[in-house]
Amino acid sequence: MILEKVTGQSYGDLLQERIFAPLGMNATVMNNPSDIVPHRAAGYRLPNSKLVNKPYYSPSVTYSAGGQLSSVEDMVKWEQALCVGTLLKQSTLNKMWTPHFPSQGDDWEKLRYVAGLGWWVFNYGDRRVVGHNGSILGFASNITRFIDDKITVILLCNLDKISRPDAIAKKIAEYYCPALREVVLQPPLEERK
């Protein structure tokens, strides 16, 4: 809403003009359920081990938290732009990927991750690893960047309850970097209480 107020553009138009079009992300659009979108995936749920369609929700208020549709090819373009500094300067990425510790609470050295600016900073020993999970009715996603190993895993799923997408990303990355098998991924904090 702040971006819309400052620029006088809709959030979708702003993303299209400043990010999607310059990066050639031609399959990435704002999620409007009335639009016909070729190859749009249907979302599902799995209550009581039975696959069913997700319930309807309006994506009009989700903005960046599920408000866009994209493709694997466009997500690769996004990742490449992050790698070469087309989208953001490396100094900006470094700030985003710096852990910001709360002033109170648990022993932060034992946490699986802490918050960066829009990214989780994962505890992988001395390796720099950042990522973010997402889920909305019928869908789940994850992007994990193994920065030092130059591996990025992007998961897109049309089922909304995926247990530990970060662990799935790690397993995929291990295929390309076997040394990651030696890193023990801690369970989420909420699972250890």
Side-chain angles (χ1 to χ4, degrees), residues 23 75-90 93 97 119 143-154:
L23 296 181
M75 293 307 301
V76 169
K77 292 174 185 177
W78 168 265
E79 169 58 18
Q80 288 172 334
L82 287 178
C83 285
V84 299
T86 302
L87 192 58
L88 295 169
K89 296 182 287 188
Q90 187 61 49
L93 292 172
W97 297 333
W119 294 79
I143 180 170
T144 301
R145 301 186 86 234
F146 298 83
I147 299 167
D148 296 326
D149 299 298
K150 297 183 176 19
I151 298 171
T152 297
V153 178
I154 299 170

Side-chain angles (χ1 to χ4, degrees), residues 33-192:
S34 64
D35 288 348
I36 302 298
V37 179
H39 312 293
R40 183 196 302 239
Y44 298 98
R45 303 191 92 183
L46 200 59
N48 301 317
S49 301
K50 181 181 178 192
L51 193 64
V52 298
N53 287 312
K54 70 166 180 66
Y56 175 78
Y57 77 97
S58 174
S60 62
V61 296
T62 59
Y63 294 95
S64 60
Q68 293 86 37
L69 301 176
S70 195
S71 67
V72 172
E73 292 83 5
D74 275 9
M75 293 307 301
V76 169
K77 292 174 185 177
W78 168 265
E79 169 58 18
Q80 288 172 334
L82 287 178
C83 285
V84 299
T86 302
L87 192 58
L88 295 169
K89 296 182 287 188
Q90 187 61 49
S91 60
T92 302
L93 292 172
N94 290 341
K95 286 180 186 174
M96 290 173 60
W97 297 333
T98 298
H100 298 274
F101 299 95
S103 58
Q104 59 189 19
D106 286 298
D107 179 357
W108 293 102
E109 293 297 313
K110 295 179 182 173
L111 292 180
R112 180 174 63 96
Y113 55 73
V114 294
L117 298 175
W119 294 79
W120 292 113
V121 180
F122 292 94
N123 181 357
Y124 276 77
D126 60 352
R127 283 185 155 79
R128 293 181 304 148
V129 180
V130 297
H132 200 284
N133 294 332
S135 66
I136 199 160
L137 290 175
F139 300 93
S141 62
N142 171 275
I143 180 170
T144 301
R145 301 186 86 234
F146 298 83
I147 299 167
D148 296 326
D149 299 298
K150 297 183 176 19
I151 298 171
T152 297
V153 178
I154 299 170
L155 303 171
L156 302 175
C157 183
N158 60 337
L159 185 65
D160 60 359
K161 298 292 182 192
I162 301 298
S163 178
R164 299 293 310 274
D166 57 313
I168 296 169
K170 180 180 181 290
K171 280 290 188 193
I172 294 169
E174 287 173 2
Y175 179 80
Y176 298 97
C177 180
L180 286 169
R181 292 184 187 127
E182 305 302 317
V183 177
V184 176
L185 187 58
Q186 295 291 323
L189 180 62
E190 59 273 12
E191 291 179 15
R192 289 187 278 133

